[in-house]
Amino acid sequence: MLRWILGGREAQNSVEKSPVLCIGEEQPKNCFTELQVLKGHFDIVRFLVQIDDFRFASAGDDGLVLVWNVESGERLQELRGHSQQITAISAFSCGDGFTSLLTASSDRSLSLWDPDTGNRVQTISDLQSSVKCLLVLERLSVWLSGGQELCVWDKDFQLLCHRQKHSDTGVAALVELPKNCVAAAVDKAIVIYRLTVSSDSSVLLDEVSRCSDHHDQIRALINVNDGMFASGSHSGELILWDSANFWNVAYEHILWEESHPSSQTEIRLAAPKPSEMSIQHLTSNGRLILAAVGSGLYVYDVVTKAVVAYRKAAHDSNVLHTMLLSDGELMSCSEDGSVRMWEVQDLPLAAEPASAGFFGMWTFGRSSKQPGPQSKKVLEIPNLRTLELTGDLIGHSGAVQMFLSFREKGLVTCSTDHLLILWKDGERQSRLRSQALFQKLEENGGL
Amino acid sequence: MTVCASAASHASLSNNTMIGSPDVVAFTKEDEYGQTTQDPLGLPEEFSIPLYPLADSNPWAKTSYAKFTKDFILISEFSEQVGPQPLLTIPGDPKVCGTFDLNYFSLRIMSVDYQASFVGHPPGSGYPRLSFVEDSRVVLGDSKEGAFAYVHHFTLYDLEARGFVRPFCMAYVAADEKKIMLQFQELSLRFSQASECLKAGNRRAFAKELQRKLQDLEYTHSVLQREEGLQREAGPQCVYSAHAVEKANELANVEKSIYEHRDLLKQISAYHWRPRRDPHAVSCQKCMTECLRECEELLDKYAKLANPRGYSQRVPKGEGDEIQSDDNRGEEEVDEDDDEGNKRRPSYTPQLIKAKSAKCFDKRLKTLQELCEENFYEATVELLKETERSFRGDLCYLYTRRLDKALRRKQKMVNFLFEADLIDDVQDEAETLRPFCAVNHAIDNYMHLNPPHIVLGSEALELDGLKHQGPLGLACEAATTQELGLLGSHLESSPSDQTLETQGSSEGTKESFSSDKSGTDQTEKQESLASINTEGPDPDSDLTPEPDQNTYPERESSSEDMETTAGEDDCGTEQDQTPMSLLEVVSELEARKDDECEVGTHSELLVPMDTACCRAQEGFLYEAADPDAVPCLSPNSTLNPSKVLVVNQEPHALHPIQDEYRVGSPCSEGPPAGLELPVGVFGDAASRSSIEDGSDCTMSASTGSDRAASPLGYGGSVTLRQRKKAGQGALRFVRQYSFAMQALWCLLSGRTLVVLGADEGRVRRLVSALALFVPNPGKSGERVQPWLSCPFTLIDLHRWKLIGLQRVASPAGSSALYSLSRYSRYISILDADMKTLRCPQYRGQLLANVADHRTYIRRGSTYFLHLQSALCRLVAKAFLLTFTHHLHLPVSPTEGPEAVEARRRGFLQEQLGLDEEDGQILLYLSRLIAQRYLQPANSDYCAAIPCFSFNYVTSVLYKI
């Protein structure tokens, strides 16, 4: 599953057949030059959630929730209570500026934690089924849990209303929509519910609509902007929906092979496996949607309703999490254990074919084929741009499950290898260190 | 120095008014009123290096015609029976003194009648007075014998001695007069400490003796009273027979004697309130209060004449017992004690005192050991041993070493980078600041928690006493330990249970050793026996890694030597046999010290065995395990075969002084965390042989039982000899590999270097050669991993800066290669088999001087010093870079980080003249310094390496 790059050693170069690009060691645009390994978990770490400017929580299969300081890498709290793996975690702030943590676990319990003290504030156990997703509606001060059943809770953990099970798979994802609506991904369909809060503060959950345009299980569901939300399915269908009337606005079926020349298929002789087209993760900044499709990345513009850029083999293995940064910069992490940073760039002039030099110092047998499809694509879609690899972070020895960016403070990644890594800008850190040093010097009154 | 000297001379003069001997050396200095003007452009005083104090004279030891081979310490006493006599020398080896006449010299040094204070009955006071005599210090010389001595006179109390005092002296005897003169302060300080320790023990012993005497007297008193009463009943009422008068006189005498002794007790307890004239006489607060408390307790007890009935009830029993043999009595006593749960307490049976005392020459005078309590005596001897050890070497050596220490102390901030650890100096300092006590209080802390229980004659009283003291069992234990003079550490024994099982970090093992040592009293003895039986496989398992640890590299080194002689340069072996320069001499000296230390270490390793369950019962276990070690064991263990329970040596970890001189011991003591690796089958054999070698003090340097080739760079305490070896290794590397400069650059700029190879020996050798260049290697080389046979992870890169990695052809090996290629951006790879280096390009000039493979330096030690000076310069620059404000922070609010960055680059390039890559070295060192400075004082290991930084640069492949 984890096919790692065996770059660098001449002996292995001939063995390497993957078309996956490799950037090499020279990465001038990569600012993460310092890292800190955070140990504490005993099993796969799957979730990261930001609490405030400097704190985040990590949770995973060991049932532990750890609260960390992103600046110092210090472990602040250890929230113990769940006996089985954490299935969903969400930050829960109800207006007063105080953020708690909401966790759901396979032990069929839900808990609310105070990250400052590490206390379990509320807990509910013996649920009928384990909860797969959580959605906090801050506006209404309620939160929803989705699993086999969909429940609405208030902040005191009182069950306000619940809907019985929908299908075998249950609710896989939840997003908030305008007008007190929520969209729930249930197997192949998206079900829209409307919450109505009556005068005696009881809550009703009505099914408003059911959209079943997907032909396969829905894997990802996100809000794009106020007017649209998007969903992605296991077979690579990306559908844009109107948030108001729940119409299908755009439908894009991502089939990598369509745009690829036949030379590319000689590597994969058989028809593409569905997992290669599965949309694992969607992210959006309101204008662009970034979809993690198999081991590739796909950038879609919701305004022009067109593909902006894509890279089929962005990683060696399935992409698990993605993020859109500003200015067409994006990031992805994958089962291959690496995090990659990309930049949407204009293609070089057609006369100047993208050279292998872009892909780093180490030449690979196949890398010369990489520009092939792109130049061909140029002919098909005039404004298609390219995704250039600007840097990669290698540190984990297992799949990178998720990452969380604190902007200039750094980037946290969590992985199957039970570790978290805090990646930081070395120059900034050294500046901070100098500041601290001279401050201490002043406090001590000299050496 | 001038100030010290004058102070010392003042002290010696003020204390010695009676000296008339022509041989007393005038303690003055020629250039006392020398130049005082300072060079305005010179360095601030704290950073300048003072010149050798006697600039015009030859600093090396002169060829002396003394009859002893090296300096030693002599303890003599002026016996009232036989006059001056030597008691013991330190070191005890008779070879040391050679043909030097100790008797004669004792006569000389004791004949300085230094304190003629009056003892006995001063007019106006009814009772004899104890004389409180300050110590005196004097430097004596015997030009005929070529011997000079610092002589420290002191007195101890002895109830049986004339005037209750017995004069003693300790002398540091050396052939070099200047050495003594220049070390006077230090000598005086140390001998004062020793003397205070002896005196503290002596006071306690004296109080006990008094107590015993008082008991005797009271018993006698009660017997006499009873007899008198009987007589009175029997005889006619108003007739006093001559016999009755005699009895009454006797009774009165006894009563007087009781008063006298009680007064003595009062005097001895008032000792601490006396103002001390002696500036060096700082005694341990703990000892003082303890002794004071005891004395006060005794005083309370004897404040009035004891209730005679207490005895009269007991007397019939006693009389009946008199028929029985002493043995029976003893047994009965023991039985009684058993009832109280107090097994080992030697009880004292009062005896009748004859009216006439024995003649002066009939009685046996107490030995020094008897005069002081056992543990105080032991502590003193230990202290003196270390004093002797620390003054070894000629003046020049001592001076440079001290200078080196003093300078390094001034660079605390950056020492961690390349310098050996300064633990000893820290202690040095602490020592002079706080009142020193040689007796290890950390150990008998426990006793103080429960007030020490003084054994008194009356059993009834004793029971009461016991009842008052908390839990009975504990109190009894305390009493037991205390009275046997044991150093039982209950506080420490608890962690042993845990640490025995821990993964064996160096601290862990150390702890478990010391705690093994601690179990001493009867109950604990069994406990620890049980714990050893149940917990560990056997106690040896704890010990085995250590010999392995320090001997494995040795095996390497010997083969290395062979290789070198066969190879192209001869820097390896030849110099070991013929010491040529000062440095060689010094290193020989160090080597000798090292060897002796090693003996010390080994015996120390074994001390734990001779305590808890030891000798008596389970001795065979250890002997079987390590037969070679037994000779080392003997000085400690066979000293007191009857007193098995006495711990002769305090647990090492808690002994402040001991550490100081045991250079290099930390590496042999506990395997450093980074170096615990399974070694081959022959590891054991090698370890055994090394113990053999180690115990052999006469071995030549070249046979080498040293730990030199161990891959510890500067970290921890490294002996000079080790440095020489390390220097040789590094020099060989530099000369053999044309890309040495690049490799060194990697290490110095903080890029982890992986030495990859199939042959373990070669890899370990390379690692140990390169370990010198690892900045901040950790106290015991934690940042260096000499041999790793499994794939490493990012955390390992985090932790180790230099890794020896096994190249295996098996699938397991391919995963190691996997990790190599995966993390290739963070590491440099030195392939020991192919002789290639893959690392970023280095074009700088900074290291050309250090890593010139055409260097003319041939000797390891020379190269070491060369390297040290180069690194020292680097560190100084890094220090400057770290603490120069404007290189890191904007000077004006309008300035952005880019301007600061530019300024820093300008500083590095223009002012320091460094290339980009050389700048990286400084930046890395500077980062380490900053991190070190910011890191809280007592942070754990993880916090010590908070982050791992790197940069994204392309590597190139260097070939030979």
Side-chain angles (χ1 to χ4, degrees):
Chain A
M1 183 173 82
L2 306 176
R3 295 194 299 121
W4 290 333
I5 305 169
L6 288 167
R9 306 198 60 80
E10 291 92 335
Q12 278 137 16
N13 264 358
S14 56
V15 184
E16 188 57 58
K17 281 263 165 39
S18 163
V20 164
L21 66 167
C22 179
I23 184 172
E25 290 173 343
E26 192 92 44
Q27 303 178 6
K29 286 185 181 172
N30 189 345
C31 67
F32 295 109
T33 53
E34 198 167 302
L35 65 82
Q36 218 171 344
V37 178
L38 311 183
K39 286 186 271 191
H41 282 285
F42 307 107
D43 209 335
I44 300 174
V45 192
R46 292 188 190 272
F47 302 103
L48 292 171
V49 59
Q50 184 168 358
I51 298 171
D52 48 31
D53 279 350
F54 68 99
R55 285 185 302 171
F56 66 95
S58 64
D61 288 4
D62 52 6
L64 271 180
V65 181
L66 304 179
V67 180
W68 307 86
N69 181 335
V70 74
E71 281 161 357
S72 64
E74 200 182 341
R75 190 197 304 171
L76 300 172
Q77 291 294 342
E78 201 166 303
L79 315 181
R80 289 175 182 272
H82 287 297
S83 59
Q84 284 182 44
Q85 64 200 58
I86 307 283
T87 52
I89 182 168
S90 172
F92 184 29
S93 56
C94 27
D96 50 359
F98 176 78
T99 307
S100 344
L101 282 174
L102 202 54
T103 56
S105 160
S106 293
D107 61 8
R108 289 185 292 145
S109 68
L110 287 164
S111 301
L112 186 72
W113 308 85
D114 181 348
D116 297 330
T117 61
N119 291 334
R120 175 138 75 164
V121 184
Q122 297 278 358
T123 183
I124 296 168
S125 49
D126 299 327
L127 298 171
Q128 287 176 13
S129 62
S130 67
V131 170
K132 285 182 183 166
C133 54
L134 293 166
L135 175 67
V136 176
L137 302 178
E138 287 181 17
R139 219 160 14 94
L140 303 175
S141 280
V142 297
W143 54 276
L144 284 80
S145 66
Q148 294 288 4
E149 50 183 2
L150 184 65
C151 302
V152 184
W153 311 80
D154 72 0
K155 61 182 177 186
D156 299 318
F157 269 55
Q158 296 301 312
L159 182 62
L160 300 175
C161 147
H162 78 116
R163 303 279 303 200
Q164 268 312 322
K165 90 177 208 179
H166 305 272
S167 71
D168 289 343
T169 47
V171 178
L174 284 168
V175 287
E176 183 182 2
L177 299 179
K179 298 178 198 160
N180 289 355
C181 287
V182 289
V186 182
D187 198 14
K188 293 177 187 174
I190 292 172
V191 185
I192 314 286
Y193 295 98
R194 173 163 290 134
L195 273 89
T196 37
V197 184
S198 55
S199 52
D200 57 342
S201 77
S202 65
V203 173
L204 284 175
L205 202 57
D206 305 308
E207 183 174 326
V208 180
S209 167
R210 180 176 282 264
C211 324
S212 34
D213 293 0
H214 277 293
H215 297 100
D216 207 335
Q217 209 171 348
I218 296 170
R219 283 289 166 90
L221 182 66
I222 55 152
N223 258 320
V224 177
N225 49 33
D226 288 345
M228 271 183 277
F229 66 99
S231 62
S233 80
H234 186 66
S235 58
E237 303 155 300
L238 173 66
I239 301 181
L240 266 175
W241 309 88
D242 190 306
S243 305
N245 49 25
F246 320 119
W247 289 338
N248 181 341
V249 180
Y251 178 94
E252 185 86 11
H253 194 178
I254 303 165
L255 281 175
W256 295 116
E257 268 61 34
E258 276 181 346
S259 57
H260 281 231
S262 58
S263 67
Q264 199 65 32
T265 53
E266 70 180 24
I267 296 160
R268 302 175 199 281
L269 297 170
K273 280 171 272 172
S275 71
E276 285 176 358
M277 303 179 301
S278 166
I279 297 184
Q280 309 282 342
H281 190 257
L282 287 173
T283 180
S284 169
N285 61 0
R287 181 187 159 89
L288 295 176
I289 293 177
L290 173 60
V293 186
S295 56
L297 291 173
Y298 190 91
V299 186
Y300 186 83
D301 190 327
V302 295
V303 179
T304 61
K305 303 215 173 17
V307 180
V308 176
Y310 72 90
R311 193 174 277 281
K312 189 200 165 206
H315 279 275
D316 284 342
S317 191
N318 281 341
V319 177
L320 296 177
H321 192 84
T322 55
M323 186 173 59
L324 274 164
L325 303 164
S326 55
D327 323 328
E329 283 176 39
L330 38 121
M331 242 182 209
S332 61
C333 68
S334 149
E335 283 176 359
D336 65 10
S338 67
V339 175
R340 293 189 169 180
M341 288 169 284
W342 309 86
E343 212 173 81
V344 181
Q345 289 179 347
D346 289 324
L347 263 191
L349 294 174
E352 184 191 328
S355 73
F358 270 110
F359 307 126
M361 298 297 294
W362 301 340
T363 50
F364 286 89
R366 290 275 165 186
S367 58
S368 57
K369 282 179 183 155
Q370 202 63 35
Q374 283 157 2
S375 46
K376 191 164 184 179
K377 200 78 181 175
V378 173
L379 303 175
E380 292 165 8
I381 307 167
N383 57 352
L384 184 71
R385 299 197 288 171
T386 167
L387 270 183
E388 272 319 315
L389 183 60
T390 57
D392 61 347
L393 306 178
I394 292 179
H396 286 294
S397 56
V400 181
Q401 295 286 341
M402 194 174 170
F403 57 85
L404 183 67
S405 171
F406 278 83
R407 300 281 155 192
E408 79 281 357
K409 279 181 188 160
L411 178 85
V412 196
T413 56
C414 66
S415 158
T416 316
D417 62 7
H418 313 176
L419 298 177
L420 287 99
I421 297 182
L422 202 50
W423 304 83
K424 291 176 174 178
D425 180 349
E427 278 179 29
R428 181 177 179 273
Q429 290 306 114
S430 113
R431 224 168 20 244
L432 290 178
R433 259 197 301 275
S434 296
Q435 267 167 19
L437 181 129
F438 288 108
Q439 196 180 340
K440 185 171 177 185
L441 206 58
E442 209 164 299
E443 280 165 14
N444 292 358
L447 287 170
Chain B
M1 200 59 211
T2 318
V3 180
C4 299
S6 60
S9 67
H10 176 72
S12 64
L13 285 177
S14 65
N15 280 347
N16 305 292
T17 47
M18 303 285 290
I19 298 169
S21 161
D23 257 324
V24 171
V25 181
F27 199 91
T28 52
K29 211 163 161 284
E30 298 81 15
D31 52 352
E32 197 129 312
Y33 303 103
Q35 77 291 353
T36 45
T37 47
Q38 277 199 333
D39 181 9
L41 292 174
L43 279 170
E45 199 217 333
E46 63 265 31
F47 290 110
S48 66
I49 299 176
L51 291 173
Y52 182 72
L54 306 173
D56 52 339
S57 66
N58 169 19
W60 290 286
K62 280 169 272 185
T63 44
S64 77
Y65 42 92
K67 289 173 180 156
F68 46 90
T69 52
K70 60 178 182 179
D71 301 358
F72 63 96
I73 292 172
L74 171 70
I75 301 183
S76 305
E77 86 156 304
F78 196 103
S79 162
E80 58 192 65
Q81 290 170 351
V82 297
Q85 59 171 351
L87 295 181
L88 83 157
T89 61
I90 292 167
D93 187 2
K95 264 189 282 180
V96 170
C97 311
T99 56
F100 187 64
D101 189 350
L102 288 178
N103 276 312
Y104 173 71
F105 199 71
S106 296
L107 174 68
R108 291 210 64 123
I109 58 178
M110 284 310 285
S111 62
V112 181
D113 189 7
Y114 72 104
Q115 287 285 336
S117 58
F118 177 78
V119 286
H121 294 260
S125 99
Y127 305 126
R129 308 230 45 98
L130 279 181
S131 62
F132 290 88
V133 197
E134 296 287 356
D135 295 359
S136 80
R137 302 157 183 83
V138 63
V139 180
L140 292 169
D142 190 331
S143 34
K144 230 188 305 172
E145 296 275 334
F148 293 87
Y150 164 87
V151 188
H152 192 107
H153 291 102
F154 62 100
T155 55
L156 296 178
Y157 297 120
D158 183 356
L159 202 53
E160 288 156 22
R162 188 160 54 107
F164 307 122
V165 256
R166 292 176 56 182
F168 287 89
C169 85
M170 296 181 282
Y172 185 85
V173 187
D176 186 4
E177 175 191 340
K178 237 180 259 158
K179 178 174 171 183
I180 289 177
M181 295 308 245
L182 290 176
Q183 309 298 322
F184 184 89
Q185 282 292 321
E186 179 82 13
L187 281 168
S188 160
L189 187 72
R190 286 184 180 268
F191 278 96
S192 298
Q193 284 166 356
S195 144
E196 283 307 315
C197 185
L198 275 181
K199 287 198 282 190
N202 172 246
R203 282 195 299 276
R204 290 175 66 137
F206 187 65
K208 251 177 224 169
E209 201 188 348
L210 270 175
Q211 165 211 341
R212 229 168 272 153
K213 186 69 180 271
L214 275 168
Q215 257 170 262
D216 288 349
L217 286 170
E218 286 189 5
Y219 175 64
T220 315
H221 183 254
S222 70
V223 171
L224 286 176
Q225 254 184 344
R226 200 157 38 86
E227 279 176 10
E228 197 195 23
L230 285 175
Q231 256 179 7
R232 215 177 294 156
E233 277 166 29
Q237 283 299 324
C238 322
V239 181
Y240 295 100
S241 65
H243 185 63
V245 170
E246 193 185 314
K247 271 277 175 258
N249 279 343
E250 210 175 310
L251 192 62
N253 270 340
V254 168
E255 268 173 29
K256 178 165 176 269
S257 189
I258 288 176
Y259 284 117
E260 280 177 5
H261 281 89
R262 207 185 293 152
D263 192 69
L264 284 177
L265 192 57
K266 208 178 291 167
Q267 287 179 47
I268 195 82
S269 67
Y271 182 90
H272 309 287
W273 308 119
R274 293 181 63 86
R276 305 297 301 269
R277 277 180 300 146
D278 188 348
H280 286 298
V282 273
S283 46
C284 171
Q285 208 57 41
K286 207 143 195 169
C287 288
M288 290 222 317
T289 48
E290 197 182 316
C291 186
L292 198 61
R293 195 169 41 214
E294 261 174 58
C295 290
E296 273 167 3
E297 228 168 281
L298 285 176
L299 267 182
D300 285 347
K301 214 132 272 169
Y302 295 103
K304 54 181 191 310
L305 265 185
N307 180 9
R309 264 196 293 160
Y311 285 99
S312 56
Q313 281 174 353
R314 221 187 121 73
V315 166
K317 195 177 171 187
E319 275 179 343
D321 283 348
E322 272 170 57
I323 308 159
Q324 294 176 333
S325 71
D326 272 344
D327 279 357
N328 285 345
R329 253 174 98 156
E331 270 169 28
E332 194 186 306
E333 290 286 347
V334 168
D335 285 347
E336 277 173 18
D337 291 344
D338 270 347
D339 293 341
E340 298 154 28
N342 198 350
K343 292 175 197 170
R344 287 269 162 157
R345 190 178 47 72
S347 63
Y348 180 71
T349 322
Q351 287 165 348
L352 271 180
I353 290 182
K354 302 255 172 62
K356 287 170 203 160
S357 64
K359 280 224 180 78
C360 180
F361 289 97
D362 293 346
K363 68 183 179 213
R364 190 189 71 93
L365 286 175
K366 290 195 195 65
T367 63
L368 184 56
Q369 226 156 329
E370 287 163 336
L371 279 177
C372 308
E373 283 198 349
E374 180 73 20
N375 51 348
F376 284 87
Y377 176 77
E378 295 288 342
T380 311
V381 170
E382 208 49 51
L383 187 64
L384 289 177
K385 272 184 191 161
E386 272 141 21
T387 306
E388 190 271 327
R389 226 172 284 154
S390 72
F391 282 104
R392 277 183 209 172
D394 66 10
L395 197 53
C396 184
Y397 172 69
L398 285 177
Y399 180 71
T400 41
R401 203 180 58 172
R402 205 152 295 172
L403 201 61
D404 177 47
K405 271 185 186 176
L407 282 176
R408 273 196 283 160
R409 198 176 295 156
K410 276 164 195 152
Q411 303 175 338
K412 264 184 208 136
M413 200 69 67
V414 290
N415 276 334
F416 72 99
L417 287 174
F418 294 108
E419 299 286 345
D421 221 15
L422 272 176
I423 310 169
D424 44 352
D425 292 295
V426 172
Q427 276 173 358
D428 251 354
E429 224 168 5
E431 198 179 290
T432 49
L433 290 179
R434 77 185 145 80
F436 170 84
C437 185
V439 178
N440 197 340
H441 286 294
I443 283 195
D444 45 22
N445 243 348
Y446 175 79
M447 295 195 250
H448 301 302
L449 297 180
N450 301 295
H453 183 71
I454 302 297
V455 190
L456 298 171
S458 153
E459 303 289 1
L461 275 175
E462 211 173 304
L463 265 176
D464 279 350
L466 282 176
K467 269 171 202 158
H468 289 307
Q469 292 168 358
L472 191 69
L474 284 179
C476 294
E477 254 176 24
T480 317
T481 33
Q482 211 236 337
E483 269 156 48
L484 287 180
L486 295 182
L487 302 165
S489 159
H490 299 253
L491 295 173
E492 253 188 287
S493 63
S494 50
S496 74
D497 301 349
Q498 300 139 21
T499 48
L500 271 177
E501 305 267 76
T502 48
Q503 72 273 36
S505 68
S506 59
E507 294 84 6
T509 21
K510 245 184 239 169
E511 234 179 302
S512 65
F513 283 143
S514 54
S515 53
D516 273 359
K517 269 178 244 185
S518 63
T520 36
D521 61 12
Q522 186 74 345
T523 47
E524 214 178 330
K525 184 170 150 185
Q526 271 139 19
E527 266 169 28
S528 63
L529 191 66
S531 76
I532 283 173
N533 284 342
T534 54
E535 274 181 55
D538 68 0
D540 295 319
S541 61
D542 271 342
L543 296 167
T544 36
E546 300 186 12
D548 288 359
Q549 226 10 273
N550 56 33
T551 52
Y552 194 78
E554 176 221 326
R555 193 174 54 85
E556 298 306 336
S557 76
S558 55
S559 65
E560 186 181 16
D561 279 346
M562 274 151 55
E563 192 182 273
T564 2
T565 30
E568 85 274 354
D569 72 78
D570 56 354
C571 63
T573 45
E574 146 282 329
Q575 58 175 11
D576 279 334
Q577 287 139 17
T578 51
M580 292 165 89
S581 67
L582 160 71
L583 194 94
E584 297 301 327
V585 176
V586 169
S587 65
E588 290 303 315
L589 190 91
E590 274 287 344
R592 243 186 300 151
K593 180 190 281 189
D594 196 6
D595 296 336
E596 273 161 37
C597 284
E598 239 166 89
V599 178
T601 324
H602 285 306
S603 62
E604 230 181 49
L605 280 182
L606 296 158
V607 167
M609 305 169 172
D610 87 353
T611 58
C613 30
C614 318
R615 302 303 287 174
Q617 293 156 41
E618 293 245 315
F620 67 93
L621 215 163
Y622 306 104
E623 278 163 24
D626 214 342
D628 302 317
V630 173
C632 314
L633 189 76
S634 53
N636 281 328
S637 59
T638 56
L639 202 67
N640 276 321
S642 55
K643 295 184 187 172
V644 185
L645 292 179
V646 175
V647 181
N648 293 324
Q649 207 158 357
E650 285 101 60
H652 173 64
L654 291 165
H655 203 292
I657 280 278
Q658 239 167 359
D659 284 336
E660 188 177 342
Y661 303 102
R662 193 155 289 108
V663 260
S665 65
C667 23
S668 67
E669 262 235 341
L675 305 177
E676 296 168 305
L677 284 167
V679 241
V681 196
F682 34 77
D684 250 339
S687 82
R688 194 145 301 173
S689 75
S690 101
I691 287 177
E692 245 165 17
D693 287 353
S695 62
D696 177 15
C697 294
T698 59
M699 66 164 195
S700 79
S702 55
T703 57
S705 81
D706 54 335
R707 297 171 289 268
S710 76
L712 313 173
Y714 297 80
S717 333
V718 192
T719 63
L720 209 68
R721 190 142 185 263
Q722 275 173 282
R723 293 176 183 191
K724 195 174 75 179
K725 277 277 181 191
Q728 268 170 28
L731 180 63
R732 198 167 303 130
F733 176 76
V734 164
R735 291 165 64 90
Q736 279 179 359
Y737 292 84
S738 55
F739 49 71
M741 193 154 71
Q742 280 77 13
L744 302 196
W745 174 73
C746 289
L747 289 171
L748 287 172
S749 62
R751 195 176 168 104
T752 302
L753 181 67
V754 177
V755 180
L756 182 68
D759 173 32
E760 182 173 356
R762 181 185 287 174
V763 171
R764 278 182 180 272
R765 215 147 49 224
L766 274 172
V767 168
S768 69
L770 287 165
L772 276 186
F773 301 93
V774 179
N776 186 20
K779 282 199 174 115
S780 42
E782 296 95 342
R783 313 293 306 262
V784 178
Q785 170 61 272
W787 184 242
L788 187 70
S789 45
C790 54
F792 56 87
T793 64
L794 189 66
I795 301 169
D796 298 334
L797 295 183
H798 219 268
R799 191 167 36 174
W800 298 317
K801 285 290 163 201
L802 177 60
I803 303 175
L805 186 69
Q806 184 178 20
R807 182 203 295 275
V808 203
S810 67
S814 75
S815 73
L817 283 182
Y818 233 34
S819 55
L820 266 188
S821 57
R822 181 164 177 76
Y823 298 118
S824 61
R825 66 175 56 169
Y826 305 127
I827 54 176
S828 305
I829 302 165
L830 174 64
D831 193 324
D833 302 329
M834 317 278 287
K835 302 231 190 293
T836 60
L837 174 71
R838 188 183 167 282
C839 74
Q841 213 170 350
Y842 172 70
R843 290 169 297 255
Q845 288 305 306
L846 190 61
L847 297 179
N849 189 24
V850 174
D852 177 12
H853 75 279
R854 285 182 293 273
T855 178
Y856 291 111
I857 299 175
R858 286 292 181 274
R859 285 176 196 287
S861 45
T862 318
Y863 182 70
F864 185 90
L865 290 178
H866 172 62
L867 180 65
Q868 208 172 23
S869 74
L871 292 176
C872 192
R873 270 198 298 276
L874 260 183
V875 168
K877 284 176 187 165
F879 180 84
L880 191 61
L881 172 64
T882 315
F883 290 98
T884 306
H885 187 277
H886 71 275
L887 297 180
H888 301 277
L889 299 178
V891 283
S892 72
T894 53
E895 217 174 38
E898 295 78 21
V900 179
E901 170 82 39
R903 195 159 50 220
R904 184 163 58 230
R905 193 173 302 123
F907 172 78
L908 288 173
Q909 281 175 0
E910 276 125 49
Q911 273 170 291
L912 297 184
L914 299 176
D915 291 342
E916 175 71 21
E917 283 99 5
D918 290 333
Q920 279 178 25
I921 298 180
L922 278 206
L923 287 172
Y924 176 65
L925 295 182
S926 156
R927 194 166 67 85
L928 288 178
I929 295 171
Q931 278 175 359
R932 175 82 166 201
Y933 183 68
L934 290 174
Q935 159 195 332
N938 46 357
S939 59
D940 56 348
Y941 183 62
C942 286
I945 40 163
C947 45
F948 170 63
S949 67
F950 45 87
N951 35 23
Y952 300 100
V953 281
T954 318
S955 291
V956 292
L957 195 72
Y958 289 96
K959 289 178 184 156
I960 263 193

